[in-house]
Amino acid sequence: MQILALGALAVASCLGILGVEAGRLMSYPPHVRTKRGAYIVEFDSHISSAHVSKFQGMSDIAVSHHYTKAFNGISVSTENIDPTHLANVDGVKRVWPVRYYRPAACPRGASNSTDAYLHHMTGVERALKELGLNGKGVKIGIVDSGVDYNHPELGACWKTEGCPWQYGQDFVGDKYTQANPVIEPNPTPMDCDGHGTHVSGILAGQGPQVHGVAPGATYGMYRVFSCPDGTESFASDDIILQGIEAAHKDGLDIISLSLGESGWPEEPIGVATAKIVEDGVVVVAAAGNDGAGGLLTTSSPAVAHGVISVGSIDNWNVTAKPAIVTSDQGSKPVMLSTPGNANYTFDFESDVPLAFPDSNGANLNGCSKFSSDLAGKIAFVKRGDCTFNDKITNAYEAGADGVLCYNNESGLLGPTTTVPVPIPFVMISEKDGVYIADRLAAGPVFVKSPKGEYETFSSETGGQMSSFSAYGPSPELDMYPLISAPGGNIWSTYLLKDGGYASISGTSMAAPYISGTAALIKQAHPELSVEDITRLLISTGKPITDPSTSLKFSPFRSGGGLVNVYDAIQSRVQFDPPVLSINDSKVGPINGDSKLTSLGTVRWAARTITVHNYDSKKHMEISLDNMAGNSMSSLLANGSFTYKPRVWPADATGNVPDDTVPQVYSFNGKKVIKPGQSDSITVFIVAPKGLKDAEQWYYGGFVEFTVQWQNEKTTSKYNVPYGGYNGDYAAQQVLSPVSDGLPAIVDSTGNPIQDLSTLVIKENVTATLLYGLSMPSRLVEVNMVNSDTGESVGYIYNGYMDYAPKTCPQCTVPHISTTIWSYVSTDKEGKDNVKVPAGKYHALLRALLPRGDISNDKDYQVWKSGDFTVA
């Protein structure tokens, strides 16, 4: 079971004072304490003092002081405006955070200037400040790697009176490893990894540097993960089940799970969490970080029934380690990712030259052996075509002191390297990488990144879906994730021994954010059920516009959109069901509405949405509209397979014909629902007729409701996400595309055996069958079949798998392997093994198609290998 985060950035605890200019918005390194929501605005020298009137006229800004003698500018306080907006006002020279000074002792922590804006965008700020909520009276359980409860921003206590940590225990201890799973639980769930402490800060951070979503709640920590075994922690599902059960027995209201594996709701943890939801407990789970695998990658238990699954949105501002790049164009700070291996950080106190892998500019991706001698240099490579392990290995063998890799798409990825190579590997954005590549082609470029320096950057992907965030739907075509929250580049508490603070990315960070918002809702409305809270979170979410298409991100990507907990708490209306999963559409004229017969033959589905007016005094007028989202496919226009989904519309520049986006039809005009009453509304959802069924499009959008309350001037917007498949879902291919080179039978060195007639399996000679799945499959089996008789003699080792996950080269599960040897199993558990008689055999791989009948041979996709010999 994985912890669903993407690397950590620990902050040194003793730094000097430093401000690095990034445009006109200035920032301090994280250890410098700053005053929340307060800034000093410096004017250009030629600007008169009258310029202050521009700021005094802004409704969301309070001018605290106007400086006219020693300093030309003002001090302001604001919780509602991103400081970059202040810096963009004409006549402004610089904007500085207001910082605290202290005696000249070693600073103990780091400051985060991004909290205010993040909480502003999600409605958390208004819920805390305007409604006075903080989660008090709500009990939240976190099943994770433990917590450094000595952290001053997490209470510096454990189960004492007034302490936020009143529940929890350790289930594994510090000796627990994969190689030696000795379970010796500690008296308390002290964290030795950092992940659980980071998650805890997102929920429970007390400030002044990390401000949690529900700082007044009562917490329990149930440690189920090991200490890092190499670079990763791990947990087994039996231990995780213990943690989940203990949290449930302790009577906690909410359980937060930042863990998962690609899977099905039928898996043990999925079943357990679904049961807990039935018992009235809110369960929140991370959707997973396999976004690189495209569609159908949401993990379990996020796909469990009733669980609130959470996708990730990139933070608008990022606190990160900078690198200073110097070229013929001067010096430029660029943001670095977390290192591929936390043991090797990108620390270079003075300028080090950058170099391409080859002097002629070839091999830019670094996937072949480097021809250049990179001793004393840093290798500059581009992401793509091979693994990060390949790139760092080739760089190290060429003598490089480190690797600077730039992304091949927008955003910043946190890499992971697992080979024992003692040099740092970090990534930068595509935009910064292209700039450096151009400068390096023109002349020498140098880079430095002193240890302990950090800076706050504006994110070019802020507010967009994180590239790593997993996609839905579930294998049964149900909608996942259900809602999204900030999870990319989140600054929070960390192990005190490792600096106390870190920036980590992952749906691991988004899940506790939603757990905190659920606590605020529950505090405000303790009578609400799990279903009520889920409905409110989804319907008040804000669909996110994809800048590349101008439509909304598909709900199979974002769920209801970006959470807005203030709107959820204030809502007087609910929609049931909160999402519409279109997994049983019809083809033909629309029945039930004569006005729609003119559409002719279409793929359509009818759904009923019940709208509840919970205002006991006012009636409500409702109208509805369609907010179409992107359609997505795993097939390119030429029919070849792609893991990164192809999106329609292809771009945001052209006209989009109505028949190429989904349509929603219902009543015209407005409906009135009386106080305390409900009404049922039928909607007809029509798949994009202009998109070909053969191209396998997943479509979706939002039924947008506009609500006007009696005697109120303003209206409110609510959304019910919908999504379906534009074709015969059961007809899709399950096995990975030929372009992946799978299935393949390889020898003991991993090389494909091109001529299987030369393969002779003996007691001491084996081979491996590798295969992949382009979508999850309920059942996969690999039999060894006698080529003369056509009869199966049994399952190849590991040749039977229920509820198999999707695989992809960059996913948690890159492929599945089975071993061909001189024995087979006659039972699916692999316990009863028999020796294979000598003869000619072949492997027969069968994968059940979506919604297939296990007992029907026609419902399987089949692959047959060439013949080999068993001696």
Side-chain angles (χ1 to χ4, degrees), residues 40 70 169 187 190 214 369 399 432 467 498 554 604 651 684 721 748 871:
I40 295 173
Q169 63 187 96
M190 175 56 74
K369 298 293 184 182
D432 287 337
S467 61
D498 291 332
S554 167
W604 64 280
D651 57 57
F684 297 91
S748 59

Side-chain angles (χ1 to χ4, degrees), residues 21 52 75 128 133 203 222 285 290 492 571 750 774 780 786 835:
E21 182 170 354
V52 69
S75 62
L128 269 60
L133 301 172
L203 272 163
Y222 302 84
D290 274 341
S492 185
S571 178
S774 61
V780 179
N786 187 300
K835 190 169 183 4

Side-chain angles (χ1 to χ4, degrees), residues 441-458:
V445 176
F446 300 87
V447 64
K448 69 177 179 179
S449 184
K451 183 177 181 179
E453 290 189 2
Y454 293 87
E455 185 175 342
T456 297
F457 295 84
S458 294

